[in-house]
Amino acid sequence: MPPMSLPIDPASPNAVSPLSAAGDRHFDGLADKFAASLYGGSRGELRLALLDRLLPEMLALHGQPLLDVGGGLGQLAAWFAARDHAVTLVEPSAEMLARARLALADEPVTFLQAPLQALPEVAPGPWPLIACHAVLEWLADPRAALATLAGRLAPGGQLSLMVFNRDALRFSNVVKGNLEKALADRLEGKGLRRRLTPISPLTHAQVTAWSAECGLEVRGVAGIRIFHDYLRRPAESDADREALLALERRYCRVDPHWRLGRYLLYTLVRPESPPSADREPRP
């Protein structure tokens, strides 16, 4: 009789978080770690505080329906729902979606379990407003994913896109002393075990080039956490945290500082007429 096969403990260093059939990283079995690592503590608080300031500045919002792609635990959907947007949240992870349902039980949110690639079937649009935050960096083919998002936008529609910044990841590795890794440009995560290094971190040049391919105009860009992640020691006092937030707010749209944000936040628009060749994105 063959030996019994035992389940792998996800906390074990040998445990593997399998990628999807498309090679994407989903988060079933990792919701607790995801919540703690990406939204817990000062990093998550600062990210949400900056979005609270930047989204009304960078988007024309008037209660239009919103498609929240890869909506995760529902923080972004909650922000829009509180401002009278009817939200459709699409998320591939059953565990993440269940938590979002619980958190948003009293909000005007529709929930769909599906990967981004299924949007043409489950949420074809056209949509006047789409949000896709911190999703493309977890996909095997972020270029095709951006084209899928663009295809769901109505003429004049806006896409709020946030991506994990490859250049910031390189800089962070250098600051930490990972010099050979930075020289070899070995920056991507592998989607293994419980680590949360994105498998497809993106550069600003990639986002602007792919947006142009899709017929989208870059109307605005900002950096999220342009200083915080490089501090030698964390801001511990309330006064230091307030000062750091003030610095992040002041410089998050100022060149060159925004370019080293841990995340890059874009407003992309499908113009109602063909885009002008000489139009430049403005921070």
Side-chain angles (χ1 to χ4, degrees):
M1 180 176 180
M4 181 181 295
S5 176
L6 298 177
I8 296 175
D9 178 1
S12 164
N14 295 319
V16 176
S17 296
L19 301 177
S20 74
D24 303 335
R25 182 75 187 272
H26 296 168
F27 293 97
D28 279 313
L30 291 171
D32 286 335
K33 181 175 178 62
F34 184 92
S37 297
L38 300 186
Y39 284 102
S42 61
R43 292 188 302 176
E45 291 174 3
L46 187 56
R47 171 175 164 176
L48 293 175
L50 289 168
L51 287 176
D52 187 60
R53 170 77 170 268
L54 287 169
L55 291 175
E57 289 182 359
M58 296 177 65
L59 296 168
L61 300 176
H62 46 82
Q64 63 268 59
L66 168 76
L67 179 66
D68 183 11
V69 180
L73 299 172
Q75 289 93 338
L76 192 63
W79 190 93
F80 279 100
R83 289 155 180 81
D84 300 321
H85 296 266
V87 178
T88 298
L89 188 157
V90 182
E91 166 60 42
S93 164
E95 181 181 2
M96 300 283 275
L97 196 65
R99 294 195 180 205
R101 284 182 186 274
L102 186 62
L104 299 169
D106 298 325
E107 301 293 345
V109 179
T110 300
F111 300 91
L112 298 173
Q113 185 180 353
L116 183 150
Q117 294 89 341
L119 290 178
E121 291 77 40
V122 303
W127 293 86
L129 183 61
I130 298 176
C132 185
H133 284 198
V135 175
L136 296 195
E137 60 262 28
W138 299 107
L139 305 183
D141 192 347
R143 185 179 187 175
L146 182 56
T148 297
L149 293 170
R152 313 279 72 75
L153 273 179
Q158 302 168 95
L159 168 61
S160 180
L161 180 74
M162 189 166 74
V163 301
F164 195 92
N165 183 3
R166 185 183 183 93
D167 293 326
L169 183 58
R170 181 182 300 104
F171 196 86
S172 178
N173 271 282
V174 173
V175 169
K176 293 174 182 175
N178 300 327
L179 305 184
E180 292 300 325
K181 182 177 180 179
L183 275 173
D185 205 34
R186 297 193 310 270
L187 304 177
E188 300 88 348
K190 304 301 181 185
L192 302 177
R193 300 189 292 274
R194 297 172 62 84
R195 295 178 181 174
L196 292 178
T197 301
I199 64 174
S200 299
L202 302 179
T203 66
H204 176 62
Q206 286 175 313
V207 173
T208 54
W210 297 348
S211 297
E213 290 176 359
C214 299
L216 302 182
E217 292 184 358
V218 180
R219 294 284 178 87
V221 60
I224 303 293
R225 300 203 320 255
I226 61 176
F227 298 124
H228 173 279
D229 290 30
Y230 310 112
L231 295 177
R232 292 186 178 181
R233 60 179 184 275
E236 296 179 349
S237 70
D238 289 343
D240 283 347
R241 285 191 289 270
E242 286 298 319
L244 177 60
L245 177 58
L247 282 166
E248 295 276 1
R249 284 174 168 169
R250 179 179 298 178
Y251 292 105
C252 65
R253 302 184 72 183
V254 176
D255 199 0
H257 303 292
W258 66 263
R259 295 177 181 273
L260 279 180
R262 176 64 78 175
Y263 295 90
L264 298 177
L265 176 68
Y266 297 87
T267 296
L268 306 177
V269 175
R270 175 172 294 288
E272 301 202 27
S273 58
S276 171
D278 60 358
R279 181 155 194 169
E280 293 291 332
R282 56 181 184 272

